[in-house]
Each structure stands twice: as C-alpha cells, then as structure tokens.
Amino acid sequence: MIMTARHFLDLKDFSFEQLRSILDFAHELKRRLKAGERPRLLEDKVLAMIFERQSTRTRVSFDVGMRQLGGQTLMLTGQEMQLAREETIEDTARVMSRYVDAIMIRILSHDDLLDLAGASTIPVINGLTRRSHPCQVMADIQTFEEHRGPLEGKKVAWIGDSNNVLASWVHATALFGNKLAIACPREYWPDQGLLSDIAEVGDAVSLGTDPHAAIADADLVITDTWVSMGDTDEGERRRILKPYQVNPRLFSQAATDALFMHCLPAHRGDEVTDEVIDGPQSVVFDEAENRLHIQKAILCWAFGIENL
Ligand code: CP
Ligand code: NVA
C-alpha cells in the first residue's frame, strides 16, 4: 500500500528516532502550556474525528489539543455518516480528503483503519482499534519519563488479557530498550498476529500466565479493563481474570517505587482495587493528561511540524 500522507497508525511503523522526536516535542509542548504559551502551530487546520465507539479521553483530548494549536475539529460518528449505509471506507476517505486536513478515527476493525489510510491523501491517526492503541502507549511512555526518566532497561509488567493497549506496548518494547513481562490467562492469550510481533521483539518480552512472576520487581505495572469494546463474554472474562486483579497484595511484589498505570476507564474492584489506583504510586491521571500533550505532538508531526 502506498501511503501519501503522514499517518499515525501503529508504533511498529516508526523508528525509535521518530518516536523519540515526537515524545521530546510533547514534553516541550507541555512545558510551554504550563508556562501559559499556546503556539498556534495548526492555525485553521481542521481535524475530523470519527468515532464508531464511545470515548471520553480520546475525544476530549484531541478536541482540546487542536483548539490549543489554533485548529478546529469536527465530531462525527460512524452511525450518522453514510458509512452506516454502506458507503465504503475508501470512498469516505477520498471525500474527507477534499474537505478536512486530517482524520482521527476510533474504529474496531484495524483492516478498516488501514483501508481508510490507504485511500486518504491526508493524515490518518489511529484513535484505537481492536488491534492497537498507539496514542495511549505514547502517553504512557511520556508519563513514565516524567516520573522516572528513560524507559530503557526498566521492567514493565502487563497483568490481564491480551488487548489493543498490550499490542502497542509490545511494539514500543521493540524500540525503547525496556523489558515487558506479560501475565495473561491462556483463554485470553495474544492472537497469532501479536504472537509474531512478540517473537520479533525477542528476549525483551516474556509471556506467561503467572501474575506474580510477571510483576516481580517491575518498575511499571499496567492493567486494563477485562472487557474491551467489542468483547461479548463479560461474565466469563470476570471469572477467568479474577486472579489477575492488581490489588495491594499483588502490587507489593513489584519494585518498591513501581508506578501503576491504567489507560482508563477503570473498573474498580475488577482489574484494580481502589487502594492501588488511588495510591501514591498510581499516575493514572497524569497518564490521562498526557494524552493531550502527546497527541498535540503527533498532530504536529502529521503536518510536518517537528519542533517549535
Ligand atoms: N484511554 C482511552 O482511550 O480512553 P477513552 O476510551 O475515554 O478515549
Ligand atoms: N482495551 C480497552 C481500552 C479502552 C481505552 C478497550 O479496547 O475497550
């Protein structure tokens, strides 16, 4: 597929240097905003945001980020577009490319995302698919760096089912020099595509079923909802994933200064207890805030602006 624009679809499409540069820019944009500066780098640019599923953070942070950069947004849902009446995703891309300057989309089918990007002459940003959530993991890395410095050499533990956020963490691990220990029940094991991504990363990723082994001495502990958008077997999931709850007993096995992250929304009492998510080592709201800063840097990159 020949891509004619700067799309942000998956972390594995990037080199370390490219992602480093986006992260450095996000740190700088955050510093500037806190100092009261709002460089209008995307003056008059229009971002179309298409949501096939619910969102709080992605929707609000992209919208506010564009406004802070001097741009504008259009909020659309798949249901109210002709997409719902079988207009193809490629034709949708061709039409949108004539009106707006970039598209951010949340759509469960990753193949549809790729088809949209393939037919689009303007940048397309992945706002979550069933397969990956790259903006989230960029925000996670920004947050880790703020609190603990470089990720290189650190141990990240993923506790729970295999899902889109985990996939983007696997892709990040291939580039950032950290280790990733995954504890996941056999029933919700990575699919073939993610297993081959894991195999490509090599020894930096370990995959097992034991949450105690994965969390041991971890510098960063991450979990996510047990029921992702599009999952249908909620009751079964809550039963099988119960031993993977991040509670004080499990979290105490991580390094003493370990951070806790969760992309949110959290289901308190399921994948994480209040003591951990509200505890002193939790950085979940910094993580949510950083969606704003990193996505501003991603938007600027998509428009060819890489520093101030
Ligand atoms: N973490 C995240 O993407 O949140 P939303 O579903 O609220 O956008
Ligand atoms: N894994 C979750 C992330 C939500 C932001 C989901 O796909 O629903």
Side-chain angles (χ1 to χ4, degrees):
M1 191 190 320
I2 298 165
M3 300 281 186
T4 56
R6 283 188 159 195
H7 302 310
F8 192 85
L9 304 179
D10 256 327
L11 299 186
K12 67 177 173 180
D13 303 335
F14 290 85
S15 66
F16 170 73
E17 289 71 25
Q18 286 171 315
L19 295 185
R20 182 70 265 152
S21 153
I22 292 172
L23 277 157
D24 290 343
F25 198 33
H27 286 298
E28 178 64 16
L29 285 170
K30 183 171 183 176
R31 271 193 295 276
R32 297 284 181 128
L33 186 69
K34 303 285 177 191
E37 289 175 48
R38 296 188 178 201
R40 295 174 71 83
L41 300 170
L42 300 184
E43 186 94 55
D44 297 333
K45 297 279 191 224
V46 178
L47 172 73
M49 308 196 298
I50 305 175
F51 284 91
E52 192 191 61
R53 289 294 169 128
Q54 299 88 336
S55 167
T56 298
R57 280 142 289 270
T58 306
R59 175 176 174 175
V60 178
S61 56
F62 267 105
D63 195 342
V64 170
M66 275 303 282
R67 290 173 199 225
Q68 289 180 356
L69 291 164
Q72 298 173 44
T73 54
L74 272 181
M75 169 65 194
L76 303 162
T77 66
Q79 264 314 305
E80 69 202 6
M81 296 174 73
Q82 296 288 10
L83 270 173
R85 294 183 57 244
E86 293 166 12
E87 182 165 22
T88 68
I89 195 108
E90 290 91 344
D91 283 349
T92 304
R94 293 179 187 114
V95 172
M96 300 291 285
S97 297
R98 304 289 179 106
Y99 296 139
V100 300
D101 300 293
I103 301 170
M104 187 281 298
I105 186 164
R106 168 165 289 188
I107 190 162
L108 292 191
S109 162
H110 197 84
D111 289 343
D112 283 352
L113 171 79
L114 296 180
D115 290 342
L116 180 84
S120 172
T121 57
I122 55 172
V124 172
I125 298 172
N126 176 359
L128 178 150
T129 67
R130 285 281 285 172
R131 198 182 302 167
S132 59
H133 198 3
C135 294
Q136 180 64 55
V137 171
M138 288 292 277
D140 294 2
I141 298 171
Q142 183 181 358
T143 308
F144 188 87
E145 290 179 348
E146 280 174 357
H147 286 270
R148 297 283 185 270
L151 196 56
E152 189 173 0
K154 302 292 185 186
K155 178 178 177 185
V156 179
W158 176 272
I159 311 292
D161 68 330
S162 175
N163 69 16
N164 39 17
V165 180
L166 173 62
S168 291
W169 261 104
V170 169
H171 301 156
T173 300
L175 300 172
F176 281 84
N178 57 292
K179 296 181 177 28
L180 177 63
I182 305 167
C184 180
R186 275 278 170 195
E187 291 84 346
Y188 302 116
W189 205 240
D191 64 15
Q192 275 311 319
L194 185 55
L195 284 175
S196 62
D197 291 347
I198 289 171
E200 268 179 42
V201 183
D203 289 348
V205 183
S206 66
L207 176 59
T209 56
D210 182 0
H212 303 279
I215 210 167
D217 299 320
D219 301 291
L220 169 59
V221 176
I222 312 177
T223 190
D224 188 7
T225 178
W226 290 341
V227 188
S228 283
M229 289 178 275
D231 286 336
T232 48
D233 52 341
E234 178 171 350
E236 190 70 350
R237 285 179 160 269
R238 296 180 81 219
R239 187 179 63 76
I240 291 171
L241 282 153
K242 209 163 177 46
Y244 294 79
Q245 181 187 69
V246 181
N247 52 37
R249 202 170 65 83
L250 184 60
F251 191 66
S252 69
Q253 295 165 35
T256 46
D257 65 345
L259 295 177
F260 173 76
M261 289 191 197
H262 187 309
C263 67
L264 306 179
H267 300 78
R268 291 162 177 262
D270 282 348
E271 73 270 12
V272 63
T273 62
D274 288 342
E275 298 97 314
V276 174
I277 197 168
D278 296 330
Q281 286 158 266
S282 170
V283 289
V284 297
F285 298 109
D286 290 343
E287 190 186 357
E289 177 186 336
N290 284 335
R291 293 291 302 278
L292 170 69
H293 308 295
I294 196 74
Q295 288 161 192
K296 285 168 69 179
I298 292 168
L299 285 161
C300 288
W301 169 85
F303 287 109
I305 299 166
E306 299 188 46
N307 44 53
L308 284 165

